[in-house]
PDB file of all heavy atoms in Angstrom:
ATOM      1  N   PRO A  54     -56.433 -22.630  17.948  1.00 97.00           N
ATOM      2  CA  PRO A  54     -57.406 -21.641  17.483  1.00 97.00           C
ATOM      3  C   PRO A  54     -56.982 -20.231  17.784  1.00 97.00           C
ATOM      4  O   PRO A  54     -55.955 -19.995  18.437  1.00 97.00           O
ATOM      5  CB  PRO A  54     -58.647 -22.017  18.318  1.00 97.00           C
ATOM      6  CG  PRO A  54     -58.061 -22.500  19.627  1.00 97.00           C
ATOM      7  CD  PRO A  54     -56.818 -23.254  19.207  1.00 97.00           C
ATOM      8  N   ALA A  55     -57.777 -19.274  17.325  1.00 97.00           N
ATOM      9  CA  ALA A  55     -57.578 -17.865  17.662  1.00 97.00           C
ATOM     10  C   ALA A  55     -57.722 -17.668  19.167  1.00 97.00           C
ATOM     11  O   ALA A  55     -58.427 -18.426  19.823  1.00 97.00           O
ATOM     12  CB  ALA A  55     -58.551 -16.990  16.891  1.00 97.00           C
ATOM     13  N   ALA A  56     -57.113 -16.656  19.664  1.00 96.00           N
ATOM     14  CA  ALA A  56     -57.127 -16.393  21.122  1.00 96.00           C
ATOM     15  C   ALA A  56     -58.563 -16.232  21.634  1.00 96.00           C
ATOM     16  O   ALA A  56     -58.907 -16.763  22.698  1.00 96.00           O
ATOM     17  CB  ALA A  56     -56.322 -15.144  21.450  1.00 96.00           C
ATOM     18  N   ALA A  57     -59.427 -15.552  20.913  1.00 97.00           N
ATOM     19  CA  ALA A  57     -60.811 -15.357  21.363  1.00 97.00           C
ATOM     20  C   ALA A  57     -61.602 -16.666  21.383  1.00 97.00           C
ATOM     21  O   ALA A  57     -62.347 -16.900  22.378  1.00 97.00           O
ATOM     22  CB  ALA A  57     -61.514 -14.357  20.424  1.00 97.00           C
ATOM     23  N   VAL A  58     -61.396 -17.504  20.437  1.00 97.00           N
ATOM     24  CA  VAL A  58     -62.045 -18.833  20.422  1.00 97.00           C
ATOM     25  C   VAL A  58     -61.578 -19.655  21.603  1.00 97.00           C
ATOM     26  O   VAL A  58     -62.340 -20.294  22.309  1.00 97.00           O
ATOM     27  CB  VAL A  58     -61.809 -19.548  19.080  1.00 97.00           C
ATOM     28  CG1 VAL A  58     -62.314 -20.989  19.123  1.00 97.00           C
ATOM     29  CG2 VAL A  58     -62.424 -18.768  17.915  1.00 97.00           C
ATOM     30  N   PHE A  59     -60.281 -19.634  21.784  1.00 97.00           N
ATOM     31  CA  PHE A  59     -59.672 -20.401  22.915  1.00 97.00           C
ATOM     32  C   PHE A  59     -60.161 -19.858  24.261  1.00 97.00           C
ATOM     33  O   PHE A  59     -60.519 -20.620  25.171  1.00 97.00           O
ATOM     34  CB  PHE A  59     -58.131 -20.342  22.827  1.00 97.00           C
ATOM     35  CG  PHE A  59     -57.445 -21.079  23.912  1.00 97.00           C
ATOM     36  CD1 PHE A  59     -57.455 -22.459  23.970  1.00 97.00           C
ATOM     37  CD2 PHE A  59     -56.720 -20.391  24.853  1.00 97.00           C
ATOM     38  CE1 PHE A  59     -56.820 -23.156  24.954  1.00 97.00           C
ATOM     39  CE2 PHE A  59     -56.032 -21.098  25.882  1.00 97.00           C
ATOM     40  CZ  PHE A  59     -56.099 -22.472  25.947  1.00 97.00           C
ATOM     41  N   ALA A  60     -60.184 -18.549  24.408  1.00 96.00           N
ATOM     42  CA  ALA A  60     -60.636 -17.917  25.667  1.00 96.00           C
ATOM     43  C   ALA A  60     -62.043 -18.323  25.986  1.00 96.00           C
ATOM     44  O   ALA A  60     -62.374 -18.609  27.154  1.00 96.00           O
ATOM     45  CB  ALA A  60     -60.481 -16.425  25.579  1.00 96.00           C
ATOM     46  N   LYS A  61     -62.922 -18.375  24.996  1.00 96.00           N
ATOM     47  CA  LYS A  61     -64.297 -18.771  25.238  1.00 96.00           C
ATOM     48  C   LYS A  61     -64.371 -20.225  25.643  1.00 96.00           C
ATOM     49  O   LYS A  61     -65.108 -20.581  26.599  1.00 96.00           O
ATOM     50  CB  LYS A  61     -65.150 -18.567  23.961  1.00 96.00           C
ATOM     51  CG  LYS A  61     -66.623 -18.817  24.141  1.00 96.00           C
ATOM     52  CD  LYS A  61     -67.389 -18.473  22.866  1.00 96.00           C
ATOM     53  CE  LYS A  61     -68.860 -18.702  23.094  1.00 96.00           C
ATOM     54  NZ  LYS A  61     -69.644 -18.349  21.924  1.00 96.00           N
ATOM     55  N   ALA A  62     -63.535 -21.083  25.065  1.00 96.00           N
ATOM     56  CA  ALA A  62     -63.530 -22.493  25.435  1.00 96.00           C
ATOM     57  C   ALA A  62     -62.982 -22.660  26.839  1.00 96.00           C
ATOM     58  O   ALA A  62     -63.514 -23.474  27.617  1.00 96.00           O
ATOM     59  CB  ALA A  62     -62.714 -23.268  24.432  1.00 96.00           C
ATOM     60  N   VAL A  63     -61.935 -21.914  27.213  1.00 95.00           N
ATOM     61  CA  VAL A  63     -61.383 -22.024  28.564  1.00 95.00           C
ATOM     62  C   VAL A  63     -62.318 -21.489  29.607  1.00 95.00           C
ATOM     63  O   VAL A  63     -62.404 -22.035  30.699  1.00 95.00           O
ATOM     64  CB  VAL A  63     -60.011 -21.273  28.628  1.00 95.00           C
ATOM     65  CG1 VAL A  63     -59.523 -21.160  30.082  1.00 95.00           C
ATOM     66  CG2 VAL A  63     -58.970 -21.967  27.770  1.00 95.00           C
ATOM     67  N   ALA A  64     -63.114 -20.461  29.300  1.00 93.00           N
ATOM     68  CA  ALA A  64     -64.098 -19.974  30.237  1.00 93.00           C
ATOM     69  C   ALA A  64     -65.112 -21.066  30.580  1.00 93.00           C
ATOM     70  O   ALA A  64     -65.594 -21.137  31.719  1.00 93.00           O
ATOM     71  CB  ALA A  64     -64.795 -18.735  29.656  1.00 93.00           C
ATOM     72  N   ALA A  65     -65.330 -21.972  29.638  1.00 93.00           N
ATOM     73  CA  ALA A  65     -66.240 -23.104  29.897  1.00 93.00           C
ATOM     74  C   ALA A  65     -65.522 -24.290  30.534  1.00 93.00           C
ATOM     75  O   ALA A  65     -66.124 -25.057  31.265  1.00 93.00           O
ATOM     76  CB  ALA A  65     -66.891 -23.544  28.584  1.00 93.00           C
ATOM     77  N   ASP A  66     -64.218 -24.442  30.253  1.00 95.00           N
ATOM     78  CA  ASP A  66     -63.430 -25.598  30.748  1.00 95.00           C
ATOM     79  C   ASP A  66     -61.991 -25.178  30.960  1.00 95.00           C
ATOM     80  O   ASP A  66     -61.224 -25.227  30.007  1.00 95.00           O
ATOM     81  CB  ASP A  66     -63.563 -26.813  29.819  1.00 95.00           C
ATOM     82  CG  ASP A  66     -62.838 -28.057  30.367  1.00 95.00           C
ATOM     83  OD1 ASP A  66     -62.220 -27.975  31.442  1.00 95.00           O
ATOM     84  OD2 ASP A  66     -62.968 -29.087  29.708  1.00 95.00           O
ATOM     85  N   VAL A  67     -61.609 -24.789  32.184  1.00 93.00           N
ATOM     86  CA  VAL A  67     -60.276 -24.277  32.472  1.00 93.00           C
ATOM     87  C   VAL A  67     -59.208 -25.339  32.267  1.00 93.00           C
ATOM     88  O   VAL A  67     -58.003 -25.014  32.188  1.00 93.00           O
ATOM     89  CB  VAL A  67     -60.181 -23.695  33.848  1.00 93.00           C
ATOM     90  CG1 VAL A  67     -60.975 -22.408  33.969  1.00 93.00           C
ATOM     91  CG2 VAL A  67     -60.500 -24.687  34.912  1.00 93.00           C
ATOM     92  N   ASN A  68     -59.610 -26.600  32.207  1.00 94.00           N
ATOM     93  CA  ASN A  68     -58.596 -27.680  32.020  1.00 94.00           C
ATOM     94  C   ASN A  68     -57.924 -27.637  30.678  1.00 94.00           C
ATOM     95  O   ASN A  68     -57.016 -28.404  30.376  1.00 94.00           O
ATOM     96  CB  ASN A  68     -59.220 -29.044  32.312  1.00 94.00           C
ATOM     97  CG  ASN A  68     -59.527 -29.211  33.782  1.00 94.00           C
ATOM     98  OD1 ASN A  68     -58.699 -28.833  34.620  1.00 94.00           O
ATOM     99  ND2 ASN A  68     -60.701 -29.736  34.081  1.00 94.00           N
ATOM    100  N   LEU A  69     -58.434 -26.769  29.793  1.00 96.00           N
ATOM    101  CA  LEU A  69     -57.765 -26.591  28.473  1.00 96.00           C
ATOM    102  C   LEU A  69     -56.438 -25.817  28.635  1.00 96.00           C
ATOM    103  O   LEU A  69     -55.644 -25.791  27.767  1.00 96.00           O
ATOM    104  CB  LEU A  69     -58.714 -25.822  27.524  1.00 96.00           C
ATOM    105  CG  LEU A  69     -59.799 -26.678  26.882  1.00 96.00           C
ATOM    106  CD1 LEU A  69     -60.878 -25.824  26.289  1.00 96.00           C
ATOM    107  CD2 LEU A  69     -59.151 -27.580  25.825  1.00 96.00           C
ATOM    108  N   LEU A  70     -56.247 -25.182  29.805  1.00 94.00           N
ATOM    109  CA  LEU A  70     -55.029 -24.482  30.079  1.00 94.00           C
ATOM    110  C   LEU A  70     -54.000 -25.416  30.703  1.00 94.00           C
ATOM    111  O   LEU A  70     -54.346 -26.225  31.594  1.00 94.00           O
ATOM    112  CB  LEU A  70     -55.250 -23.298  31.075  1.00 94.00           C
ATOM    113  CG  LEU A  70     -55.813 -22.021  30.511  1.00 94.00           C
ATOM    114  CD1 LEU A  70     -56.132 -21.102  31.643  1.00 94.00           C
ATOM    115  CD2 LEU A  70     -54.914 -21.360  29.532  1.00 94.00           C
ATOM    116  N   ARG A  71     -52.732 -25.266  30.314  1.00 92.00           N
ATOM    117  CA  ARG A  71     -51.697 -25.986  31.019  1.00 92.00           C
ATOM    118  C   ARG A  71     -51.570 -25.369  32.409  1.00 92.00           C
ATOM    119  O   ARG A  71     -51.848 -24.195  32.584  1.00 92.00           O
ATOM    120  CB  ARG A  71     -50.352 -25.834  30.263  1.00 92.00           C
ATOM    121  CG  ARG A  71     -50.287 -26.655  29.027  1.00 92.00           C
ATOM    122  CD  ARG A  71     -48.992 -26.441  28.252  1.00 92.00           C
ATOM    123  NE  ARG A  71     -47.826 -26.745  29.083  1.00 92.00           N
ATOM    124  CZ  ARG A  71     -46.608 -26.306  28.872  1.00 92.00           C
ATOM    125  NH1 ARG A  71     -46.399 -25.459  27.844  1.00 92.00           N
ATOM    126  NH2 ARG A  71     -45.626 -26.595  29.681  1.00 92.00           N
ATOM    127  N   ARG A  72     -51.053 -26.165  33.352  1.00 88.00           N
ATOM    128  CA  ARG A  72     -50.860 -25.643  34.687  1.00 88.00           C
ATOM    129  C   ARG A  72     -49.450 -25.990  35.176  1.00 88.00           C
ATOM    130  O   ARG A  72     -48.936 -27.003  34.730  1.00 88.00           O
ATOM    131  CB  ARG A  72     -51.884 -26.237  35.677  1.00 88.00           C
ATOM    132  CG  ARG A  72     -53.279 -25.739  35.485  1.00 88.00           C
ATOM    133  CD  ARG A  72     -54.171 -26.151  36.645  1.00 88.00           C
ATOM    134  NE  ARG A  72     -54.296 -27.585  36.809  1.00 88.00           N
ATOM    135  CZ  ARG A  72     -55.376 -28.262  36.510  1.00 88.00           C
ATOM    136  NH1 ARG A  72     -56.454 -27.688  36.012  1.00 88.00           N
ATOM    137  NH2 ARG A  72     -55.401 -29.549  36.682  1.00 88.00           N
ATOM    138  N   PRO A  73     -48.947 -25.268  36.075  1.00 88.00           N
ATOM    139  CA  PRO A  73     -49.373 -23.980  36.580  1.00 88.00           C
ATOM    140  C   PRO A  73     -49.033 -22.855  35.633  1.00 88.00           C
ATOM    141  O   PRO A  73     -48.210 -23.018  34.727  1.00 88.00           O
ATOM    142  CB  PRO A  73     -48.601 -23.842  37.893  1.00 88.00           C
ATOM    143  CG  PRO A  73     -47.352 -24.540  37.661  1.00 88.00           C
ATOM    144  CD  PRO A  73     -47.722 -25.711  36.749  1.00 88.00           C
ATOM    145  N   ILE A  74     -49.649 -21.737  35.822  1.00 86.00           N
ATOM    146  CA  ILE A  74     -49.316 -20.512  35.048  1.00 86.00           C
ATOM    147  C   ILE A  74     -48.870 -19.503  36.094  1.00 86.00           C
ATOM    148  O   ILE A  74     -49.593 -19.171  37.021  1.00 86.00           O
ATOM    149  CB  ILE A  74     -50.482 -19.970  34.265  1.00 86.00           C
ATOM    150  CG1 ILE A  74     -50.934 -21.016  33.198  1.00 86.00           C
ATOM    151  CG2 ILE A  74     -50.170 -18.628  33.630  1.00 86.00           C
ATOM    152  CD1 ILE A  74     -52.157 -20.624  32.450  1.00 86.00           C
ATOM    153  N   LEU A  75     -47.700 -18.966  35.914  1.00 86.00           N
ATOM    154  CA  LEU A  75     -47.118 -18.006  36.823  1.00 86.00           C
ATOM    155  C   LEU A  75     -46.922 -16.704  36.009  1.00 86.00           C
ATOM    156  O   LEU A  75     -46.290 -16.703  34.963  1.00 86.00           O
ATOM    157  CB  LEU A  75     -45.781 -18.456  37.383  1.00 86.00           C
ATOM    158  CG  LEU A  75     -45.273 -17.603  38.530  1.00 86.00           C
ATOM    159  CD1 LEU A  75     -44.869 -18.521  39.674  1.00 86.00           C
ATOM    160  CD2 LEU A  75     -44.153 -16.760  38.091  1.00 86.00           C
ATOM    161  N   ILE A  76     -47.524 -15.623  36.527  1.00 84.00           N
ATOM    162  CA  ILE A  76     -47.441 -14.327  35.808  1.00 84.00           C
ATOM    163  C   ILE A  76     -46.625 -13.376  36.651  1.00 84.00           C
ATOM    164  O   ILE A  76     -46.913 -13.177  37.820  1.00 84.00           O
ATOM    165  CB  ILE A  76     -48.869 -13.738  35.576  1.00 84.00           C
ATOM    166  CG1 ILE A  76     -49.695 -14.743  34.762  1.00 84.00           C
ATOM    167  CG2 ILE A  76     -48.764 -12.393  34.914  1.00 84.00           C
ATOM    168  CD1 ILE A  76     -51.135 -14.365  34.673  1.00 84.00           C
ATOM    169  N   ASP A  77     -45.620 -12.810  36.018  1.00 81.00           N
ATOM    170  CA  ASP A  77     -44.728 -11.831  36.657  1.00 81.00           C
ATOM    171  C   ASP A  77     -44.697 -10.618  35.734  1.00 81.00           C
ATOM    172  O   ASP A  77     -43.884 -10.546  34.814  1.00 81.00           O
ATOM    173  CB  ASP A  77     -43.345 -12.411  36.865  1.00 81.00           C
ATOM    174  CG  ASP A  77     -42.358 -11.433  37.506  1.00 81.00           C
ATOM    175  OD1 ASP A  77     -42.834 -10.636  38.350  1.00 81.00           O
ATOM    176  OD2 ASP A  77     -41.174 -11.440  37.145  1.00 81.00           O
ATOM    177  N   GLY A  78     -45.563  -9.681  35.968  1.00 81.00           N
ATOM    178  CA  GLY A  78     -45.659  -8.489  35.077  1.00 81.00           C
ATOM    179  C   GLY A  78     -46.074  -8.945  33.712  1.00 81.00           C
ATOM    180  O   GLY A  78     -47.137  -9.488  33.530  1.00 81.00           O
ATOM    181  N   ASP A  79     -45.238  -8.706  32.724  1.00 81.00           N
ATOM    182  CA  ASP A  79     -45.534  -9.109  31.323  1.00 81.00           C
ATOM    183  C   ASP A  79     -44.949 -10.445  30.996  1.00 81.00           C
ATOM    184  O   ASP A  79     -45.053 -10.898  29.829  1.00 81.00           O
ATOM    185  CB  ASP A  79     -45.025  -8.023  30.343  1.00 81.00           C
ATOM    186  CG  ASP A  79     -45.998  -6.856  30.260  1.00 81.00           C
ATOM    187  OD1 ASP A  79     -47.189  -7.028  30.556  1.00 81.00           O
ATOM    188  OD2 ASP A  79     -45.549  -5.771  29.830  1.00 81.00           O
ATOM    189  N   ARG A  80     -44.327 -11.101  31.946  1.00 82.00           N
ATOM    190  CA  ARG A  80     -43.729 -12.390  31.670  1.00 82.00           C
ATOM    191  C   ARG A  80     -44.609 -13.502  32.235  1.00 82.00           C
ATOM    192  O   ARG A  80     -45.199 -13.344  33.265  1.00 82.00           O
ATOM    193  CB  ARG A  80     -42.337 -12.485  32.317  1.00 82.00           C
ATOM    194  CG  ARG A  80     -41.585 -13.769  32.004  1.00 82.00           C
ATOM    195  CD  ARG A  80     -40.197 -13.639  32.488  1.00 82.00           C
ATOM    196  NE  ARG A  80     -40.181 -13.655  33.957  1.00 82.00           N
ATOM    197  CZ  ARG A  80     -39.132 -13.965  34.654  1.00 82.00           C
ATOM    198  NH1 ARG A  80     -37.970 -14.267  34.034  1.00 82.00           N
ATOM    199  NH2 ARG A  80     -39.153 -13.959  35.946  1.00 82.00           N
ATOM    200  N   VAL A  81     -44.741 -14.586  31.478  1.00 85.00           N
ATOM    201  CA  VAL A  81     -45.559 -15.709  31.906  1.00 85.00           C
ATOM    202  C   VAL A  81     -44.712 -16.974  31.827  1.00 85.00           C
ATOM    203  O   VAL A  81     -43.971 -17.233  30.878  1.00 85.00           O
ATOM    204  CB  VAL A  81     -46.785 -15.888  30.955  1.00 85.00           C
ATOM    205  CG1 VAL A  81     -47.557 -17.135  31.291  1.00 85.00           C
ATOM    206  CG2 VAL A  81     -47.703 -14.676  31.094  1.00 85.00           C
ATOM    207  N   ILE A  82     -44.792 -17.774  32.889  1.00 87.00           N
ATOM    208  CA  ILE A  82     -44.152 -19.086  32.909  1.00 87.00           C
ATOM    209  C   ILE A  82     -45.299 -20.108  32.936  1.00 87.00           C
ATOM    210  O   ILE A  82     -46.150 -20.053  33.800  1.00 87.00           O
ATOM    211  CB  ILE A  82     -43.255 -19.257  34.137  1.00 87.00           C
ATOM    212  CG1 ILE A  82     -42.162 -18.203  34.163  1.00 87.00           C
ATOM    213  CG2 ILE A  82     -42.637 -20.668  34.171  1.00 87.00           C
ATOM    214  CD1 ILE A  82     -41.383 -18.160  35.455  1.00 87.00           C
ATOM    215  N   VAL A  83     -45.316 -20.996  31.913  1.00 87.00           N
ATOM    216  CA  VAL A  83     -46.385 -21.940  31.815  1.00 87.00           C
ATOM    217  C   VAL A  83     -45.865 -23.328  32.036  1.00 87.00           C
ATOM    218  O   VAL A  83     -44.834 -23.735  31.446  1.00 87.00           O
ATOM    219  CB  VAL A  83     -47.044 -21.875  30.419  1.00 87.00           C
ATOM    220  CG1 VAL A  83     -48.212 -22.865  30.287  1.00 87.00           C
ATOM    221  CG2 VAL A  83     -47.536 -20.456  30.108  1.00 87.00           C
ATOM    222  N   GLY A  84     -46.526 -24.094  32.882  1.00 86.00           N
ATOM    223  CA  GLY A  84     -46.101 -25.459  33.175  1.00 86.00           C
ATOM    224  C   GLY A  84     -44.964 -25.425  34.156  1.00 86.00           C
ATOM    225  O   GLY A  84     -44.465 -24.370  34.543  1.00 86.00           O
ATOM    226  N   PHE A  85     -44.581 -26.593  34.614  1.00 85.00           N
ATOM    227  CA  PHE A  85     -43.466 -26.694  35.592  1.00 85.00           C
ATOM    228  C   PHE A  85     -42.159 -26.472  34.866  1.00 85.00           C
ATOM    229  O   PHE A  85     -41.770 -27.259  33.995  1.00 85.00           O
ATOM    230  CB  PHE A  85     -43.447 -28.033  36.282  1.00 85.00           C
ATOM    231  CG  PHE A  85     -42.387 -28.094  37.359  1.00 85.00           C
ATOM    232  CD1 PHE A  85     -42.537 -27.407  38.552  1.00 85.00           C
ATOM    233  CD2 PHE A  85     -41.260 -28.834  37.129  1.00 85.00           C
ATOM    234  CE1 PHE A  85     -41.538 -27.453  39.523  1.00 85.00           C
ATOM    235  CE2 PHE A  85     -40.262 -28.872  38.093  1.00 85.00           C
ATOM    236  CZ  PHE A  85     -40.396 -28.175  39.274  1.00 85.00           C
TER     237      PHE A  85
END
Side-chain angles (χ1 to χ4, degrees):
V58 172
F59 180 69
K61 186 174 182 180
V63 170
D66 184 355
V67 293
N68 291 317
L69 281 163
L70 280 173
R71 286 178 58 202
R72 288 191 301 252
I74 296 175
L75 192 132
I76 301 171
D77 178 36
D79 279 338
R80 185 171 69 160
V81 173
I82 302 170
V83 181
F85 182 74

